[in-house]
Amino acid sequence: VQLQASGGGLVQAGGSLRLSCAASVLTTSTNAMGWFRQAPGKERVFVAAITWRDGRTHYSDSVKGRFTISRDGAKNTVYLQMTNLKAEDTAVYSCAAARWSKFYRDSYNSSDFDFWGQGTLVTVSS
């Protein structure tokens, strides 16, 4: 499975941006897809995820209410719509895929996902 992330860029605080993650193929290896981010000097952290079968979503507390994850089966693509962006949202955003198909706990880390795409940089200026 190959994942291709795109859509990063420079945006002012309060602005919006949409990231895309296209999967080369949808299989049991991509039952769930998600986004992580890594700010300079910090660890990579979970942002949001979605399951393909039923479209259930899960968000970190830091983005809940501002970010929306969605999927388009016809395009094998997952989107992350980011609104009301803050300077602290500045990070490299990476998409990932997992074999599990149901959310099974409240928080997730990198080891919960099996495949990774390259990152895309989001810079929010204040």
Side-chain angles (χ1 to χ4, degrees):
V1 176
Q2 292 184 331
L3 305 174
Q4 181 72 38
S6 60
L10 175 64
V11 63
Q12 290 187 333
S16 300
L17 207 58
R18 189 179 79 162
L19 305 182
S20 301
C21 177
S24 58
V25 64
L26 293 183
T27 71
T28 54
S29 297
T30 56
N31 286 330
M33 288 181 65
W35 290 93
F36 284 73
R37 67 185 182 186
Q38 186 169 19
K42 296 188 177 180
E43 293 184 352
R44 184 163 59 185
V45 296
F46 172 79
V47 175
I50 189 168
T51 54
W52 275 104
R53 176 178 293 184
D54 54 14
R56 291 185 182 270
T57 58
H58 189 76
Y59 298 92
S60 69
D61 288 341
S62 61
V63 306
K64 199 173 294 182
R66 299 188 299 122
F67 291 10
T68 302
I69 189 169
S70 61
R71 72 203 195 292
D72 184 337
K75 298 181 178 180
N76 291 0
T77 299
V78 169
Y79 302 98
L80 185 69
Q81 179 68 49
M82 305 183 293
T83 62
N84 191 21
L85 283 162
K86 306 176 183 179
E88 52 263 41
D89 294 318
T90 294
V92 174
Y93 286 71
S94 300
C95 63
R99 296 184 177 93
W100 47 264
S101 58
K102 293 182 180 181
F103 292 110
Y104 54 95
R105 57 187 185 198
D106 291 335
S107 62
Y108 295 86
N109 55 43
S110 299
S111 63
D112 293 311
F113 288 77
D114 307 295
F115 301 95
W116 292 85
Q118 91 293 355
T120 185
L121 177 62
V122 172
T123 303
V124 183
S125 62
S126 57

